[in-house]
């Protein structure tokens, strides 16, 4: 029987001023009707270029498909004209892109963008196309679809825009859907919604799906088989369970080890050392050899082919049979030999930072006179302490006020009300010069490691700038300090005269960390410092932050939306929703015994890199998006999305009370917290009612 899709020895190159980029190097795979395939790998591995080649979306020049076949429904797509490919794209093969905002036209209504595909491919009338568009929007869960079809993309949330992108891809009932990292830019709760939606649509519509992702945890219970790409090659391919349970390539093993677990382990993450290879150089040996702890002499002499190592299981590794046996041993050895980065037995008791009833409201103005008509309650009455030497994790969905809290604590934003006491000094009462001096003790690591670095300044100048502003040392000592900081964060001091664009994302984040450490601060706000990085690079950065904390006695407020990574670095975790903290306690207590329904939903949405566990558990899917902070729900702010809502939730604001002990407090703001007191592991097992 013919395959739906058959890719044979596909090669794609980009001819640039610097040389030839070998983006895709002879990949081959098949896909059956209704089957799902995940293509996994780090940024730059060739995942997206491979599927864009299938779609005929490689810009020529500089790109060129140099060899191979792409047989779809019996036709080689590489032999078709541009016009013939336009008839197939959207009609038979559709794609959901990574960034839902940039993939939608901002000057056209959603309705117009949906109907043009129906008019083009199915020759429907405007009325019929409109009706079909509303039907698809309702199918993907857009509320009031008939009214919202005339809205523009900016009027929708990120999750809703991604749903619209899925609706657009499904308009003409394609037999193949390609999803290119469709959940990367989304919160874990919205990610869970999208994954559940696509899996349901696949079952209902019988589509085949190709998932593109860098996170093996995301697709564990979602697909039938997985292809792992590295440096433009497929290095391992197998049915999903075999890939996880009988890993036969060291790169796949490295990706799995980089993923944090939710089983309570406090060991250091095991990152993949080094960086992906330069694709300007065609591999003459195994491309993974420079980063592989299993490499032997033969790996440096010849590039291994992708060969069958079991039924439907393929690996490109000379030592695949040894990897299966050595993997568990090597993992244990790596954990034993790493530096001790676990949390100290004695918990700190001296509060370095005290935040009391902190509020930050942004005025909403309208009209020519800019009359204030309301306020966005970004942070609304937040109270917590951060102990000296502690890491407090602050988690929640986008828009809940996490980053605003961090910036307001550092006085980058002037608070509307409340106190921020650092080392006994109320920062909100300081004058301009006093605040400048206080900033030596508090610094920030930003989310985007590229946007936070001046592209026209060298790395040395970027780091030295803080020393000059605070008049620390002379010229010679500042130069010495810059070299010291680069070494401290694991970078070559010889990079001092390079510019930010010459570094990888992980290296740029290390530069941002070095800059934050320049003034020897006691307190650092790390604002989503790993969200823009691959999972393997995330592990490197998390380990670095933990080492620096132990070595320098730092105190962190670590802001993130990924609870699994937060568990590795945090002593305690605060969960934030719509401007308020709804739960705060020890990290293990939070994972083992969450008392707020919102925390339970966040925990249930964490991807697990285990096909058996992932497919067996039930996620708590939160309906809708975070409400508008300019008009938050009355009483309990979570009641509009809560599975346990009762009348009291709609009428009274819950008290933030201690459900633990005086020694190990467990603070929660929920009217029904008592009913969860006996439900151990509710977050991890995700037992929804």
């Amino acid at each position: 029987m013919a395959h739906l899709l058959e890719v044979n020895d596909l090669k794609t190159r980009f001819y640039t001023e610097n040389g030839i980029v070998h983006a895709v190097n002879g990949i081959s795979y098949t896909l059956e009707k209704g089957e799902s395939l995940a293509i996994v790998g780090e940024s730059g591995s060739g995942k997206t270029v491979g599927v864009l080649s299938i779609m005929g979306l490689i810009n020529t020049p500089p790109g060129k498909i140099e060899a191979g076949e792409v047989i779809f429904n019996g036709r080689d797509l590489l032999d078709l004209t541009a016009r013939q490919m336009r008839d197939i794209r959207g009609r038979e093969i559709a794609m959901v892109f990574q960034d839902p905002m940039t993939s939608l036209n901002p000057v056209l209504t959603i309705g117009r963008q949906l109907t043009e595909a129906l008019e083009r491919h199915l020759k429907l009338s405007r009325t019929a196309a409109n009706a079909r568009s509303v039907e698809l929007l309702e199918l993907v869960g857009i509320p009031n679809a008939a009214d919202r079809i005339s809205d523009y993309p900016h009027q929708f949330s990120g999750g809703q825009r991604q749903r619209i992108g899925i609706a657009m891809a499904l308009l003409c009932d394609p037999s193949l859907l390609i999803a290119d990292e469709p959940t990367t830019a989304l919160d874990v709760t919205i990610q869970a919604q999208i994954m559940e939606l696509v899996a349901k649509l696949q079952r209902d519509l019988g589509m085949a799906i190709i998932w593109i992702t860098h996170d093996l945890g995301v697709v564990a219970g979602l697909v039938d088989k997985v292809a792992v790409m590295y440096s433009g090659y497929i290095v391992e391919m197998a049915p999903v369970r075999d890939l996880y349970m009988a890993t036969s390539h060291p790169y796949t093993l490295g990706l799995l080890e980089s993923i944090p677990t939710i089983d309570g382990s406090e060991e250091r993450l095991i990152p993949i050392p080094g960086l992906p290879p330069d694709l300007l150089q065609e591999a003459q040996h195994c491309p993974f050899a420079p980063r592989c702890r299993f490499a032997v002499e033969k790996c440096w002499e010849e590039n291994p082919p992708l060969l069958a190592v079991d039924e439907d299981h393929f690996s490109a590794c000379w030592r695949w049979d040894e990897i299966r046996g050595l993997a568990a041993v090597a993992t244990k050895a790596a954990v034993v030999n790493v530096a001790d980065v676990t949390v100290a037995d004695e918990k700190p008791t001296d509060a370095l930072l005290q935040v009391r009833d902190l509020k930050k409201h942004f005025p909403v103005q309208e009209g020519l006179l800019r009359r204030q008509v309301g306020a966005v309650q970004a942070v609304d009455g937040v109270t917590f302490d951060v102990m000296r030497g502690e890491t407090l994790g602050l988690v929640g969905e986008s828009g809940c006020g996490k980053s605003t809290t961090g910036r307001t604590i550092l006085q980058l934003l002037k608070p509307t009300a409340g106190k921020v006491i650092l080392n006994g000094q109320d920062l909100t009462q300081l004058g301009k010069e006093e605040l400048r001096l206080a900033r030596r003790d508090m610094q920030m690591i930003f989310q985007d490691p590229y946007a936070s670095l001046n592209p026209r300044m060298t790395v040395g100048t970027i780091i030295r700038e803080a020393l000059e502003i605070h008049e620390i040392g002379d010229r010679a000592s500042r130069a010495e300090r810059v070299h010291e900081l680069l070494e401290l964060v694991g970078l070559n001091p010889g990079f001092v005269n390079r510019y930010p664009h010459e570094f990888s994302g992980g290296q740029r984040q290390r530069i941002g960390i070095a800059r934050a450490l320049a003034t020897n601060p006691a307190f650092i706000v790390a604002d989503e410092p790993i969200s823009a990085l691959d999972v393997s690079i995330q592990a490197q950065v998390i380990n670095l932050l933990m080492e620096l904390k132990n070595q320098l006695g730092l105190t962190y407020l670590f802001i993130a939306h990924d609870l699994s990574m937060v568990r590795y670095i945090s002593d305690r975790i605060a969960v934030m929703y719509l401007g308020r903290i709804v739960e705060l306690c020890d990290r293990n207590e939070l994972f083992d015994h969450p008392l707020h329904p919102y925390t339970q939903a966040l925990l249930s949405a964490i991807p697990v890199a285990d096909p058996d566990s992932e497919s067996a558990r039930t996620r708590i899917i939160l309906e809708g998006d975070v409400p508008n902070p300019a008009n938050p729900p009355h009483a309990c702010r979570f009641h509009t999305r809560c599975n346990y809502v009762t009348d009291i939730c709609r009428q009274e604001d819950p008290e933030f009370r201690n459900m633990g002990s005086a020694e190990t407090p467990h603070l929660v703001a929920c009217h029904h917290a008592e009913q969860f007191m006996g439900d151990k592991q509710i977050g991890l097992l995700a037992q929804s009612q």
Side-chain angles (χ1 to χ4, degrees), residues 569-643:
I569 195 171
S570 302
D571 299 282
R572 292 183 300 140
I573 299 175
V575 180
M576 196 166 184
Y577 183 79
L578 207 58
R580 295 180 180 174
I581 291 177
V582 296
E583 190 161 7
L584 194 163
C585 64
D586 174 81
R587 57 166 181 186
N588 292 328
E589 174 70 9
L590 188 87
F591 273 73
D592 294 341
H593 199 185
L595 298 181
H596 197 285
Y598 180 58
T599 309
Q600 295 165 17
L602 289 178
L603 290 170
S604 80
I606 298 173
V608 178
D610 180 347
D612 294 338
S613 173
E614 183 69 20
S615 58
R617 68 182 184 145
T618 304
R619 283 192 172 95
I620 302 173
I621 302 297
L622 294 179
E623 298 298 328
D625 299 300
V626 179
N628 185 352
N631 185 27
H634 177 66
C636 175
R637 296 191 171 187
F638 186 62
H639 82 258
T640 57
R641 304 171 74 194
C642 183
N643 292 328

Side-chain angles (χ1 to χ4, degrees), residues 274-289:
L275 298 170
D278 185 355
L279 296 181
L280 289 172
Q281 305 295 325
E282 190 167 10
Q284 302 301 317
H285 52 73
C286 174
F288 188 61

Side-chain angles (χ1 to χ4, degrees), residues 60-130:
T60 306
K64 183 181 179 182
I65 300 174
E66 295 211 327
E69 296 178 320
V70 178
I71 311 298
F72 178 74
N73 272 336
R75 290 186 294 174
D76 189 347
L77 301 184
L78 301 185
D79 291 338
L80 302 185
T81 65
R83 182 181 182 85
Q84 289 172 320
M85 276 304 301
R86 282 197 297 270
D87 290 337
I88 289 177
R89 280 196 299 266
R91 178 68 184 90
E92 298 181 58
I93 305 176
M95 192 164 183
V96 181
F97 295 92
Q98 179 173 352
D99 188 340
M101 189 60 184
T102 57
S103 62
L104 298 173
N105 192 325
V107 299
L108 295 179
T109 65
I110 294 302
R112 184 67 196 117
Q113 294 183 63
L114 291 168
T115 56
E116 66 178 354
L118 293 167
E119 294 169 9
R120 166 72 173 79
H121 291 295
L122 302 185
K123 311 302 180 186
L124 296 184
S125 66
R126 179 64 61 87
T127 302
N130 241 13

